[in-house]
């Protein structure tokens, strides 16, 4: 593995796909130790690969039931991620995972805040299907049916762009399949009636800008693209194991 995080992360991801989370955890710890003395300043690539490792480790800890440890690792991943435009995909991925974690905890307002930030940072203008699918699930838990419906529409659009698949495929995915784990009490503590949460942005144009202007994650959104960032998608899919 040398003094780079990438080989450790790749091997750990392989173990995770086999549901060997304890083995993956050991690999990730070893990888973090191997690069502990590596200077992140001035070495953007090293910082980015370390961020990927920390993010993967965080998802691994989630699967092991260590939610507090997962939160700390996501914070660390965000801290070592650069602030340049080229780092936006990594920031988006970490924020997506933060939202997944808060959703699992039943902290739906925080989950919505994080998913909005993830959308802002996402490499694809307008986001991707997984972002909108998660926002749909959050809105459902918050009993905001209008928002949930609009998020579902966006998820379907992105799914078609990304996969060329049929709308019915994602409709099944957006059903009741995704539920919190048994060890997580995902009971909503509050339901918000803010105007910001009643209105979901249109695919493009002023409606999206109007909503985002009212929230911490406001950003100018450009016409969407059909291409997905493969690294983003691979990291996000670790939640589905």
């Amino acid at each position: 593995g040398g003094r780079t995080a990438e080989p450790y992360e790749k091997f750990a991801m392989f173990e995770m796909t086999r549901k060997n989370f304890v083995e993956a955890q050991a690999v990730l710890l070893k990888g973090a130790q191997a690069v502990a003395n590596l200077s992140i300043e001035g070495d953007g690539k090293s910082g980015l690969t370390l961020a990927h490792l920390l993010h993967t480790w965080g998802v691994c800890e989630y699967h092991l039931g260590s939610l507090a440890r997962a939160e700390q690792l996501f914070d660390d991943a965000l801290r070592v991620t650069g602030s340049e435009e080229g780092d936006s995909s990594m920031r988006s991925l970490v924020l997506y995972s933060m939202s997944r974690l808060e959703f699992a905890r039943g902290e739906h307002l925080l989950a919505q805040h994080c998913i909005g930030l993830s959308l802002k940072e996402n490499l694809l203008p307008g986001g991707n299907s997984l972002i909108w699918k998660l926002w749909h699930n959050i809105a459902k838990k918050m009993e905001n049916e209008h928002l949930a419906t609009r998020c579902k529409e966006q998820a379907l659009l992105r799914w078609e762009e990304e996969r060329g698949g049929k709308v019915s495929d994602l409709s099944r995915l957006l059903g009741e399949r995704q539920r919190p784990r048994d060890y997580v009490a995902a009971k909503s503590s509050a339901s918000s009636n803010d105007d910001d949460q009643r209105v979901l942005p249109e695919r493009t144009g002023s409606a999206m800008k109007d909503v985002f202007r009212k929230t911490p994650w406001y950003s100018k959104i450009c016409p969407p693209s059909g291409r997905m960032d493969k690294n983003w998608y691979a990291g996000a899919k670790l939640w589905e194991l």
Side-chain angles (χ1 to χ4, degrees), residues 22 38 46 55 120:
V22 173
L38 196 63
S46 295
H55 170 265
K120 174 183 178 294

Side-chain angles (χ1 to χ4, degrees), residues 144 146-147 150 192-200 211:
N144 190 331
H146 178 66
L147 179 61
R150 300 298 299 279
S192 174
N193 292 319
D194 292 344
D195 290 341
D196 293 346
Q197 297 168 21
R198 287 202 200 101
V199 182
L200 186 76
V211 171

Side-chain angles (χ1 to χ4, degrees), residues 93-141:
L93 175 59
V94 176
L95 288 160
Y96 170 85
S97 288
M98 287 178 165
S99 181
R100 290 283 303 242
L101 182 63
E102 296 301 340
F103 180 74
R105 286 171 159 170
E107 297 288 348
H108 301 131
L109 197 59
L110 279 174
Q112 179 171 258
H113 176 70
C114 291
I115 202 61
L117 290 171
S118 177
L119 177 62
K120 174 183 178 294
E121 294 284 0
N122 193 256
L123 184 65
L124 297 179
N128 61 45
S129 61
L130 293 180
I131 287 177
W132 290 109
K133 176 186 172 184
L134 177 55
W135 205 339
H136 162 84
N137 292 333
I138 294 166
K140 290 283 287 184
K141 285 292 185 180

Side-chain angles (χ1 to χ4, degrees), residues 158-174:
R158 305 301 171 222
W159 176 263
E160 288 186 294
E161 291 173 349
E162 294 158 7
R163 300 290 193 277
K166 297 179 180 179
V167 171
S168 59
D169 294 335
L170 190 63
S171 295
R172 288 193 294 271
L173 290 176
L174 287 170

